[in-house]
Amino acid sequence: MMRPEELRSHRWYGGEELRNFSHRTRSRQLGLNPEEHLGKPVIGILNTWGEINPCHMHLRERAEQVKRGVWQAGGYPVEFPVATLSETFQKPTPMLYRNLLSMETEEILRSYPLDGAVLMGGCDKTTPALLMGAASADLPVIFVPAGPMLRGHWRGEPLGSGTDMWKYWDDRRAGLIGDAELAELECGLARSPGHCMTMGTASTMTSVAEALGLTLPGAASIPAVDSAHHRMAAASGARIVKMVWAELTISRVLDGRAFADAITAVLALGGSTNALIHLIAMAGRSRIPLSLDDFDAAARQVPVLANIRPGGAYLMEDFYYAGGLRGLLSRLTDLLHTDRITVSGQTFGETLATARVHDDDVIRTRDNPVAAEGGIAVLRGNLAPGGAVIKHLAAEPKLLWHTGPAVVFEDYGDLRHRINDPALSITGDSVLVLRGSGPLGGPGMPEYGMLPIPDHLLAKGVRDLVRISDARMSGTSFGACVLHVAPESHVGGPLALVRDGDLITLDVPGRALRLEVDGAELDRRRAGWRPPAPRFERGYGALYTEHVTQADAGCDFDFLARAGTNPEPDAR
């Protein structure tokens, strides 16, 4: 058990030198009496609240509940506003800024007199960003998930944010609903604080945080507005103080077993393809080897048990009441590493020991899964030598083995302008190809991967096509969309060589993605390819361009992912 004089914050406050005196003086300026903070764990609360982020609109209030827990446990809380990455509003994509928030997190934890931290977030990129930075700083931390919003409603039908937005927008394009219905849907899709209540990237990544052992048991599934969420926040504040005294740093929690269990959770949930990029990046910060092949190998062993949209029928509120992530994982303990430690102080197995499932249709049994194998596959071939991914659980089965002619779009602007051009002669057999949308080409790898289906096909009832890109796709999306093609077209990957009419084969059972063009012709095309001009000439964009890795390596910055440590700051 750590002693007060061994606290990291003691280096700032506890000495007899000029700087120590200065720190105490400024604390009195803040209105603090010595007994309020001296000799107590100083707990940073990194809050991603922002007025333009509806997923986090309640986190200002939750921070007060976290503080209550910290005070009650004998710590001193200090709240830090950090970047809010709003999936809805930040352009071209918050993925461009994930690494920026991770850097901010790491440097705040390193440079201030903090003994531990509570990380508050939930919107897609926020969770991995906070955890990546925390892993690099390696202090005791606990994560407070923002929680999913309540289910949407429209004319007696439950709605899922994102998933039903895509569905009804296509209905509008097909002429099945009009402006009046769309206006009602606009007010019914997202009707409370919290992140998407489908198994999109937000719910996937907060579940990952819990599966890694970085939240209190059961925290990830609690709806944002449920009173249990208030209590979880306060309990997390109390718990981090005990973690500091016990020196339970994040590196003691995150090991190879933790990441293996997080992969199992993602697959059993039918989770977002974005999790592959984020988990590879997160593992890299913890010096844990992880690759796309690890996901594909696990996918062949892990059944999908969560019957949640877009791959299932229910929403996160139903999942919570059915038993949540603990209930789901309690049915997979033979696939988990139950003896590892979590931030709760219990082993992972102990956190699952009392879990129960209350609805076997929402959380399926092993003998009645949503799918016998995990809903994500990793594809390789001459079109994706570095790998590509597909969430085949959310695609039309008939398209999972398909050969068709390519219709190529140079970038997202080209796609928007030409997708309904009759001259393209797009049919149900066509393979839509979008390039210029990867980590560098996007820039930031935007969620363009669910390419729109042409209006004339929607009118005929066609709702899915094979679509291939170096982009990402929202976890709330669906369809036969091949994503994360690596290397991307912007750096001369094979996607840059595809031409209209080229035959492309998607073979999900065989895990293959092939461009049916002979090697000599591809070599000829490659010799004539020229790299695009850089998108950024200065600023953060230039830093990003110079250092971001490809999708199969997690899109982290190379200088953040590499081995090595930073020295602790001298507080004197």
Side-chain angles (χ1 to χ4, degrees), residues 126-447:
T126 307
T127 300
L130 291 169
L131 296 181
M132 288 162 65
S136 295
D138 196 23
L139 296 182
V141 299
I142 193 167
F143 186 73
V144 172
M149 69 179 88
L150 298 178
R151 65 171 71 88
H153 279 285
W154 180 63
R155 298 185 179 183
E157 179 184 349
L159 298 177
S161 57
T163 301
D164 283 308
M165 178 187 72
W166 312 120
K167 174 182 181 295
Y168 285 109
W169 186 255
D170 282 352
D171 281 355
R172 171 71 161 74
R173 294 172 59 213
L176 301 178
I177 63 173
D179 291 344
E181 290 86 354
L182 208 64
E184 292 177 14
L185 285 161
E186 190 173 299
C187 297
L189 271 166
R191 61 186 189 90
S192 84
H195 58 66
C196 289
M197 73 306 238
T198 52
M199 189 44 66
T201 306
S203 290
T204 301
M205 293 311 300
T206 55
S207 296
V208 160
E210 182 173 337
L212 287 169
L214 296 175
T215 76
L216 290 181
S221 310
I222 305 171
V225 297
D226 196 294
S227 64
H229 200 268
H230 300 237
R231 299 191 297 272
M232 178 272 293
S236 298
R239 177 59 197 159
I240 188 62
V241 176
K242 296 178 181 178
M243 288 174 61
V244 168
W245 290 125
E247 300 181 78
L248 183 52
T249 59
I250 191 171
S251 62
R252 290 182 56 193
V253 177
L254 295 184
D255 58 17
R257 299 171 300 168
F259 282 97
D261 290 348
I263 292 174
T264 297
V266 168
L267 296 169
L269 289 165
S272 168
T273 50
N274 288 312
L276 280 71
I277 292 176
H278 296 318
L279 269 169
I280 288 172
M282 292 161 65
R285 295 296 188 93
S286 296
R287 310 290 176 257
I288 305 296
L290 198 65
S291 73
L292 292 177
D293 293 335
D294 294 311
F295 287 87
D296 196 60
R300 299 172 188 269
Q301 306 295 324
V302 179
V304 180
L305 301 185
N307 188 11
I308 307 174
R309 299 180 197 183
Y314 295 96
L315 297 165
M316 285 298 293
E317 193 175 346
D318 307 302
F319 184 63
Y320 171 64
Y321 293 122
L325 186 66
R326 291 176 65 239
L328 180 140
L329 294 180
S330 72
R331 293 185 160 173
L332 296 166
T333 52
D334 59 307
L335 301 178
L336 302 172
H337 302 84
T338 55
D339 59 341
R340 59 186 178 85
I341 195 66
T342 69
V343 295
S344 69
Q346 299 175 297
T347 65
F348 194 39
E350 288 171 338
T351 69
L352 303 177
T354 59
R356 299 290 182 271
V357 174
H358 309 296
D359 189 326
D360 286 336
D361 193 39
V362 178
I363 302 175
R364 298 288 186 86
T365 58
R366 296 277 283 272
D367 59 4
N368 181 35
V370 175
E373 292 186 2
I376 295 175
V378 175
L379 311 172
R380 295 188 186 276
N382 69 344
L383 193 51
V389 301
I390 183 171
K391 190 174 183 177
H392 56 89
L393 182 66
E396 286 193 9
K398 68 179 182 180
L399 295 176
L400 299 183
W401 199 98
H402 179 83
T403 298
V407 179
V408 181
F409 300 95
E410 292 300 326
D411 54 33
Y412 187 61
D414 182 34
L415 171 72
R416 289 172 57 208
H417 288 128
R418 293 200 299 132
I419 188 62
N420 289 310
D421 185 349
L424 295 178
S425 301
I426 298 173
T427 73
D429 290 328
S430 298
V431 176
L432 306 186
V433 175
L434 173 66
R435 52 191 174 213
S437 301
L440 290 168
M445 209 178 177
E447 292 183 340

Side-chain angles (χ1 to χ4, degrees), residues 24 43 54 59 120 146 155 233 259 282 291 307 337 399 413-414 422 438 466 473 476 520 546 549 568:
R24 294 194 297 268
I43 305 301
L59 291 187
M120 303 184 69
R155 298 185 179 183
F259 282 97
M282 292 161 65
S291 73
N307 188 11
H337 302 84
L399 295 176
D414 182 34
V466 174
M473 181 174 82
T476 67
E546 292 166 9
T549 61
E568 274 284 290

